[in-house]
Amino acid sequence: YAKTGAANGGATPICAVPGWEDDTLSTIETLFVGDSDIARWETASVFPNSFNVGVGGFTCDDVIGTIDEYLASFDPNWVVIVCGENDLFSQGAEATFVDF
C-alpha cells in the first residue's frame, strides 16, 4: 500500500485495487507513479492493464522512496512518473530540479 505524501501533511491514499496488498495482481503493462496530478487520472479506462499508485502530496523523495517496491510488486513494462510540483511547496525551483 502506498505511503503517505510528505507535502500534503501526510496525505493517505483513499482507494486501492483488490490484490495490491497481497501481490495477486498479474503483471501490469503500464504503472503510473507520482503526485496528485497523476493520482487523479482515470488511467485504467484509457490504458488497459495499467495501475495507478499516484498519491496526492507525494514529492520526488516520496516517489524515489516507493518506486522500487512498486516495480518489484507490479513488474510493469512501462512506467509514467509525475512529480516535482509538491517539492516547490517547501523549496525553490533549483533544489526541486536537483531532486527530480
Side-chain angles (χ1 to χ4, degrees):
Y1 196 66
K3 293 178 175 51
T4 59
N8 198 14
T12 302
I14 58 172
C15 62
V17 170
W20 157 246
E21 298 88 356
D22 58 11
D23 293 329
T24 60
L25 291 173
S26 62
T27 299
I28 299 299
E29 179 70 23
T30 307
L31 181 66
F32 293 86
V33 181
D35 57 26
S36 61
D37 286 340
I38 208 162
R40 294 181 183 139
W41 292 3
E42 295 294 329
T43 55
S45 62
V46 179
F47 299 93
N49 199 25
S50 69
F51 194 70
N52 188 328
V53 292
V55 178
F58 253 26
T59 63
C60 290
D61 284 341
D62 293 320
V63 171
I64 290 167
T66 58
I67 193 134
D68 287 339
E69 180 182 347
Y70 295 148
L71 294 174
S73 294
F74 294 111
D75 191 26
N77 293 320
W78 298 91
V79 179
V80 177
I81 301 172
V82 175
C83 69
E85 229 175 301
N86 292 313
D87 296 80
L88 292 170
F89 180 74
S90 61
Q91 63 188 11
E94 186 174 318
T96 298
F97 184 74
V98 170
D99 285 348
F100 189 75

